[in-house]
Amino acid sequence: FDRFRADAHGDALLVTAGDAVGATPPISNLFGDMPTIEMMNALGFTADSLGNHNFDAGAGYMFGGLAPRADFPYLSANLVLAGNDTATPNAADAPFLPSLLLDVDGVSVGLIGFSNPDIPLLTRPGALDPYRVVNPGPAVTAEAERLRGAGAAAIIAIGHMGATGGDLTAPTGPVVAVANELRDVDLVVADHTDMQVSAVLPNRIMLVENRSKGVYFTR
């Protein structure tokens, strides 16, 4: 990563899209996944989103144990408090944020996170409490519109949904369906399904996804 950062024309952002903790090798799992957070801090991550494995030990541990140790924020625009359809406010003490607005070499860049709607089916009962997951498409578009109004020149959505079929440049699957309905978004960084994707969709959104476990990353 340092080598590629040195090749960059200016500032570099390093992001991933959920599931960096949970279902991890024993060297991390036996220590409550704290080693994973320490490694992500050392690598200099800018942001992460929230996937199903983030809640393997429950939302309380995720936001009370792991997130406070991270030098980067967790993002999800469609993870909301139960009974409330509003994204978590951008407050300094919030356990996670819907988005970030960053200055990258003088350009305002928005980062929006989103979570997979099937988290309740992939975790134990009550693991998400007191949150629930709403439809990512409208939530990400609404957040993108807000960031554009705040001056964002480019918007990246990082979400824990992936492709399930097709090929590298013509993928199909849940994240493709969501990306096709988004507005005001330039790039979607996907995850979750261990597929390699690098495509430009009909709505001109670029969609990328990488193989799991650090086999590849997209520059």
Side-chain angles (χ1 to χ4, degrees):
F1 285 144
D2 286 342
R3 180 161 54 88
F4 283 114
R5 284 188 181 106
D7 287 343
H9 295 294
D11 291 340
L13 305 180
L14 177 59
V15 300
T16 187
D19 276 12
V21 297
T24 44
I27 195 170
S28 184
N29 187 267
L30 287 173
F31 295 93
D33 280 332
M34 294 298 179
T36 294
I37 302 299
E38 292 173 4
M39 178 57 76
M40 294 176 75
N41 288 342
L43 288 168
F45 272 85
T46 304
D48 192 359
S49 63
L50 294 161
N52 48 286
H53 281 302
N54 289 88
F55 300 98
D56 282 355
Y61 183 67
M62 178 65 227
F63 298 128
L66 295 177
R69 302 287 187 97
D71 294 338
F72 52 88
Y74 285 91
L75 307 178
S76 182
N78 67 319
L79 186 67
V80 301
L81 288 169
N84 186 352
D85 289 337
T86 304
T88 300
N90 278 296
D93 59 349
F96 63 95
L97 303 172
S99 65
L100 286 178
L101 192 58
L102 304 172
D103 183 286
V104 182
D105 294 321
V107 177
S108 185
V109 177
L111 289 179
I112 304 171
F114 63 96
S115 302
N116 46 319
D118 58 351
I119 288 179
L121 303 178
L122 302 174
T123 53
R124 60 179 173 80
L128 262 181
D129 292 347
Y131 303 99
R132 67 189 182 94
V133 188
V134 299
N135 188 353
V140 172
T141 291
E143 194 64 18
E145 291 173 351
R146 188 183 72 80
L147 292 176
R148 292 288 186 189
I155 293 182
I156 304 164
I158 56 175
H160 197 71
M161 296 178 71
T164 54
D167 56 28
L168 179 74
T169 58
T172 60
V175 76
V176 181
V178 169
N180 276 328
E181 68 177 86
L182 296 180
R183 299 188 307 277
D184 287 325
V185 173
D186 299 292
L187 168 66
V188 174
V189 178
D191 199 357
H192 186 49
T193 53
D194 196 18
M195 295 274 290
Q196 192 71 23
V197 174
S198 181
V200 177
L201 303 180
N203 60 1
R204 306 307 298 166
I205 288 177
M206 176 175 273
L207 172 66
V208 298
E209 182 180 3
N210 292 303
R211 297 291 309 279
S212 296
K213 303 178 180 66
V215 174
Y216 295 113
F217 71 97
T218 294
R219 180 165 63 131

